[in-house]
Amino acid sequence: MPAPRNSSSSSTTTQSRSSSVWLKPVSGDAKHRDDVFKMAHWLEAQLKSYGVETQLSDLGKHVMDGQELPLPPAILGKIGNDPAKKTVLIYGHFDVQPANFSDGWSTEPFKLTVSPNGQLFGRGSTDDKGPILGWLNVLQWHSENKKELPVNIKFCFEGMEESGSEGLDELVEKEAKKGGWFEDVDCVCISDNYWLNTRTPVLTYGLRGISYFKINVTGPGWDLHSGVFGRTIHEPMTDLVLLMSKLVDVKGNILVPGVDEMVASALDDERAVYERLDYAIEDIEAAAGGKIALSSNKIDVLMGRMRSPSLSLHGIEGAFYGAGAKTVIPAKVAGKFSIRLVPPQTPDNVRPLVTAYLESEFAKLGSKNTMTIEEVHGGKPWLADMNHWNFEAAKEATRQVYKVEPDMTREGGSIPVTLTFAEAIGANVVLLPMGRGDDGAHSTNEKLDRSNFIEGSKLLGTYLYELGAIAGKK
């Protein structure tokens, strides 16, 4: 059942909603916490303007980098209460990753810039402000045309997804109980991931989990002059670099004993699933901006992204990184890395392996410095039934809008609350992405193609109509 023609107003609202990109809702930076709150209030006002009943749910406080901060509120919304209709829960997040022009952006990251070829550049354009604006487009069209929605909708938008969704699991579990906001939800839809390439839309039935760690190494009481103290003391940076070099090799193999070994090898029938996907080595190299794929085998690359764990080194806190040639020995440094998890891995069964290994390797150094390991945040992996009627509705919506059959994929990224929704509510979750594989989420020059924004908004609206027409309830 196709949606009414022009059931989104995305082509006329790109610029009018650009104020949301100007804000800097970076959840991982304390100095931008006010912007995350401002973004929450902006989004709540938008929802209310289209007839959505809303509630700002206080998630409490947390400690980040030694500072106690209020958590941004989660926005709960609902529109429609017809018991004869299905009820779908829509999730998204309004916080973003850090971004600075000096990182290598071609445009100001927090100013929406439309290129001559129709690409929309700005932090959060594809992850995840663009898809949220797509849902607003659907609501706006129905409100302005006084058109009844084909399903009841519940919303859950959060401002801490990029920092582990702190506080959200507890809220979802509470609201899923009898009398709670999510009690009558039949299915869940999330638009917070991407196509594999720039050609073929996808539906996603699996996500990797994540365990994010910091290795803290301290020694001197303060920063020291390398000309005075070099080769006279144990230097924290030396210890840290040696430890980080022992976590992963150049082929991506995880060197922490027991982590890779948790995951069984793929059988031939599973490898055939990846062979059928519309993907080529050129796709990942184009998205990465260089001919740097670990393998020339498409199946191995796809499995490396979707069904195998990975370990990535992210940065060193406390080290000198500015212009010039400062000859400092830092007194305290922290190395950051994460492991993307796949079933049967969880943060709980990976953490002790990481801790034991790093403690063992640090002991081998014979250093007089102090090393501690901190787990910053974590989330379990998730897999769904791709033959559920929720997926069938999303497949038909994709056929209606894009005139092709979507690829069925597992995604390499993590959305920690996905599994919580599935388990707490007992409902099927579908990931229905808007953006392309080359959008550069979390990277410099993040973008969303205007065509994907417009057609993606239509896709979200059409999905609601297909959901309303298909047989089945929870």
Side-chain angles (χ1 to χ4, degrees), residues 178-194:
K178 186 173 180 60
W181 203 275
F182 305 142
E183 176 188 13
D184 55 354
V185 167
D186 296 301
C187 61
V188 182
C189 181
I190 298 174
S191 185
D192 186 23
N193 62 310
Y194 323 96

Side-chain angles (χ1 to χ4, degrees), residues 27-221:
S27 58
D29 189 336
K31 68 176 180 288
H32 290 307
R33 184 54 54 92
D34 284 348
D35 270 337
V36 187
F37 274 80
K38 289 176 182 176
M39 188 72 198
H41 291 296
W42 180 91
L43 181 53
E44 184 196 24
Q46 292 287 307
L47 290 169
K48 282 184 173 180
S49 72
Y50 302 129
V52 179
E53 179 186 343
T54 64
Q55 171 183 302
L56 292 181
S57 294
D58 183 9
L59 299 180
K61 297 181 179 181
H62 73 136
V63 176
M64 185 173 67
D65 296 330
Q67 182 178 356
E68 185 178 68
L69 297 169
L71 287 165
I75 305 171
L76 303 184
K78 57 185 175 182
I79 183 169
N81 60 359
D82 186 342
K85 295 180 179 180
K86 295 186 185 70
T87 299
V88 58
L89 171 62
I90 305 300
Y91 165 85
H93 67 91
F94 51 86
D95 64 318
V96 299
Q97 286 278 310
N100 295 291
F101 184 76
S102 59
D103 295 337
W105 283 73
S106 300
T107 60
E108 288 293 339
F110 289 101
K111 179 180 180 180
L112 182 65
T113 303
V114 183
S115 70
N117 64 357
Q119 292 178 322
L120 312 174
F121 287 93
R123 175 56 90 221
S125 55
T126 194
D127 180 22
D128 185 36
K129 290 180 181 178
I132 286 180
L133 296 183
W135 289 115
L136 292 180
N137 288 335
V138 174
L139 292 173
Q140 179 183 1
W141 185 89
H142 285 81
S143 175
E144 292 178 348
N145 289 275
K146 296 179 171 46
K147 179 77 173 178
E148 185 177 344
L149 286 159
V151 292
N152 306 315
I153 304 178
K154 301 287 181 76
F155 294 96
C156 180
F157 294 139
E158 67 155 323
M160 284 295 291
E161 193 272 347
E162 300 291 6
S163 298
S165 294
E166 290 196 53
L168 192 63
D169 282 355
E170 295 79 3
L171 176 69
V172 172
E173 290 164 359
K174 182 186 78 171
E175 297 295 345
K177 294 177 181 176
K178 186 173 180 60
W181 203 275
F182 305 142
E183 176 188 13
D184 55 354
V185 167
D186 296 301
C187 61
V188 182
C189 181
I190 298 174
S191 185
D192 186 23
N193 62 310
Y194 323 96
W195 300 356
L196 279 177
N197 50 43
T198 61
R199 305 176 299 277
T200 308
V202 308
L203 302 180
T204 299
Y205 63 94
L207 291 167
R208 294 196 289 191
I210 188 170
S211 287
Y212 197 110
F213 296 94
K214 281 175 69 174
I215 309 171
N216 301 297
V217 183
T218 60

Side-chain angles (χ1 to χ4, degrees), residues 152-392:
N152 306 315
I153 304 178
K154 301 287 181 76
F155 294 96
C156 180
F157 294 139
E158 67 155 323
M160 284 295 291
E161 193 272 347
E162 300 291 6
S163 298
S165 294
E166 290 196 53
L168 192 63
D169 282 355
E170 295 79 3
L171 176 69
V172 172
E173 290 164 359
K174 182 186 78 171
E175 297 295 345
K177 294 177 181 176
K178 186 173 180 60
W181 203 275
F182 305 142
E183 176 188 13
D184 55 354
V185 167
D186 296 301
C187 61
V188 182
C189 181
I190 298 174
S191 185
D192 186 23
N193 62 310
Y194 323 96
W195 300 356
L196 279 177
N197 50 43
T198 61
R199 305 176 299 277
T200 308
V202 308
L203 302 180
T204 299
Y205 63 94
L207 291 167
R208 294 196 289 191
I210 188 170
S211 287
Y212 197 110
F213 296 94
K214 281 175 69 174
I215 309 171
N216 301 297
V217 183
T218 60
W222 45 80
D223 289 355
L224 301 174
H225 190 307
S226 66
V228 177
F229 290 96
R231 204 166 182 171
T232 69
I233 62 163
H234 290 276
E235 298 188 16
M237 179 73 86
T238 303
D239 293 352
L240 179 62
V241 170
L242 287 169
L243 288 174
M244 295 185 78
S245 73
K246 297 178 184 296
L247 292 170
V248 62
D249 70 17
V250 295
K251 289 293 187 180
N253 299 305
I254 298 175
L255 303 180
V256 180
V259 174
D260 270 344
E261 292 78 4
M262 285 184 182
V263 183
S265 299
L267 300 177
D268 289 345
D269 58 345
E270 185 181 0
R271 292 180 67 88
V273 172
Y274 296 101
E275 176 61 40
R276 290 193 293 269
L277 295 177
D278 179 16
Y279 196 72
I281 299 300
E282 291 77 15
D283 291 317
I284 190 169
E285 292 185 333
K291 296 182 179 298
I292 53 174
L294 285 178
S295 171
S296 59
N297 185 308
K298 155 187 162 177
I299 298 175
D300 290 340
V301 169
L302 283 171
M303 289 200 304
R305 170 173 173 168
M306 297 181 186
R307 65 95 62 199
S308 300
S310 65
L311 191 153
S312 298
L313 308 178
H314 302 303
I316 297 178
E317 193 177 299
F320 172 65
Y321 64 90
K326 187 177 181 182
T327 56
V328 67
I329 297 174
K332 176 182 179 179
V333 287
K336 301 180 181 182
F337 70 96
S338 69
I339 303 176
R340 298 288 178 166
L341 310 174
V342 299
Q345 296 168 331
T346 67
D348 285 344
N349 63 28
V350 165
R351 184 189 312 111
L353 299 177
V354 172
T355 300
Y357 177 66
L358 285 172
E359 288 176 346
S360 172
E361 291 300 314
F362 183 70
K364 293 176 185 177
L365 298 180
S367 174
K368 294 180 180 179
N369 291 320
T370 300
M371 188 272 295
T372 60
I373 304 156
E374 177 185 350
E375 186 179 36
V376 180
H377 62 78
K380 296 178 182 178
W382 160 80
L383 283 174
D385 175 11
M386 70 174 87
N387 297 313
H388 189 274
W389 50 259
N390 191 23
F391 275 85
E392 293 303 320

